[in-house]
Amino acid sequence: MIKLSKADYEKILAHAEKELPNEACGLIAGTSDGNDKIIHKVYLLTNTDHSNEHFSLDPREQLSAVKDMRANGWIPLGNWHSHPESPSRPSEEDKRLAYDSKASYIILSLMDSNNPVINSFHIENGISEKENLIITE
């Protein structure tokens, strides 16, 4: 299970909408207790690809985020990105580029602008499994 606060969900949504028509991206950090992950901070990073079909994290921003995680005693839990024109599920490219089997991969679909959909996935060896994502108050 992965827990995301409503405020952090809204932060992701606002950033993703601002970056349209391109994909937005970032990192998530927090604590982990076995299979439960609690997100304490969402990092909004620049998609250096400036594309609506894929993303690359800005390396400097990524390093800064990791330093902030360490300073706060958090661990990297994974990343998030938006799909402006496709469902909230990993694309073949997402699966191919999922190198960390311990990471959670959160995908926000803005395909239906009136009904954004967010899901989290565990991806290992090209196979994705939906994680139980809970948005908390």
Side-chain angles (χ1 to χ4, degrees):
M1 171 178 28
I2 186 161
K3 293 182 182 179
L4 174 70
S5 73
K6 185 174 182 185
D8 280 337
Y9 165 74
E10 289 171 355
K11 184 177 173 182
I12 289 171
L13 178 61
H15 185 65
E17 289 175 337
K18 183 180 85 103
E19 293 300 310
L20 287 171
N22 296 325
E23 288 191 0
C25 58
L27 297 172
I28 54 173
T31 56
S32 178
D33 179 19
N35 290 333
D36 293 340
K37 298 177 182 178
I38 300 170
I39 298 170
H40 293 282
K41 187 165 183 179
V42 167
Y43 297 88
L44 309 177
L45 305 184
T46 301
N47 175 0
T48 59
D49 292 340
H50 305 288
S51 169
N52 66 337
E53 295 179 342
H54 50 86
F55 72 96
S56 293
L57 302 172
D58 180 288
R60 286 191 177 125
E61 293 174 356
Q62 191 173 4
L63 180 59
S64 177
V66 170
K67 285 180 179 179
D68 184 70
M69 290 176 204
R70 289 180 182 151
N72 285 289
W74 300 323
I75 59 170
L77 296 176
N79 67 55
W80 70 269
H81 72 279
S82 62
H83 281 182
E85 303 165 2
S86 59
S88 174
R89 64 174 177 251
S91 66
E92 289 307 310
E93 180 175 346
D94 292 336
K95 292 178 194 174
R96 185 174 53 79
L97 296 174
Y99 296 115
D100 185 354
S101 64
K102 293 180 181 143
S104 289
Y105 297 89
I106 295 177
I107 301 173
L108 172 68
S109 172
L110 298 173
M111 194 169 75
D112 176 353
S113 60
N114 295 319
N115 187 29
V117 177
I118 192 166
N119 288 299
S120 184
F121 299 88
H122 170 87
I123 305 172
E124 191 168 354
N125 298 321
I127 298 169
S128 67
E129 293 181 25
K130 195 171 175 182
E131 294 179 316
N132 186 15
L133 173 66
I134 296 174
I135 298 176
T136 62
E137 287 300 320

